[in-house]
Amino acid sequence: MQTALQVLDREYLEARCSLLELAAALDRIDRAHDHEEASGDFQDSRLDLLNQAIKILSEESHLPNRSERLLLLFSDLD
């Protein structure tokens, strides 16, 4: 079994890339909304789900099964 440091060494760059891609996608959504003629808040259940997922990921690291919780969160999307 690998140590936590070995797993972090292996996974860090890919995880960082995924987070940067998510941040860029959210920035693109925000910029597109800023350029739309309609005013007011942009509401979409998918954006709400992404925000809930970010909250799950930002919780204390000792909470188990983050991937399972995200799968359950997104399974109700249909």
Side-chain angles (χ1 to χ4, degrees), residues 23-34:
L26 293 172
D27 286 346
R28 288 190 294 272
I29 292 167
D30 289 342
R31 280 192 303 270
H33 175 65
D34 289 345

Side-chain angles (χ1 to χ4, degrees), residues 10-77:
R10 186 188 69 232
E11 300 288 336
Y12 176 75
L13 290 177
E14 187 174 337
R16 184 180 78 168
C17 181
S18 296
L19 290 170
L20 288 169
E21 287 178 1
L22 175 59
L26 293 172
D27 286 346
R28 288 190 294 272
I29 292 167
D30 289 342
R31 280 192 303 270
H33 175 65
D34 289 345
H35 286 90
E36 292 176 351
E37 292 181 17
S39 61
D41 289 336
F42 177 69
Q43 296 294 327
D44 189 292
S45 61
R46 297 169 296 174
L47 192 56
D48 292 338
L49 288 173
L50 289 176
N51 286 321
Q52 289 176 47
I54 292 167
K55 185 174 181 180
I56 289 170
L57 293 176
S58 66
E59 292 174 350
E60 293 292 326
S61 62
H62 68 275
L63 296 174
N65 303 321
R66 283 175 282 213
S67 57
E68 178 183 354
R69 290 166 38 207
L70 290 182
L71 286 170
L72 290 171
L73 175 68
F74 291 123
S75 68
D76 294 334
L77 183 58

Side-chain angles (χ1 to χ4, degrees), residues 1-11:
M1 179 172 203
Q2 293 185 327
T3 66
L5 183 57
Q6 290 170 322
V7 174
L8 182 60
D9 286 343
R10 186 188 69 232
E11 300 288 336

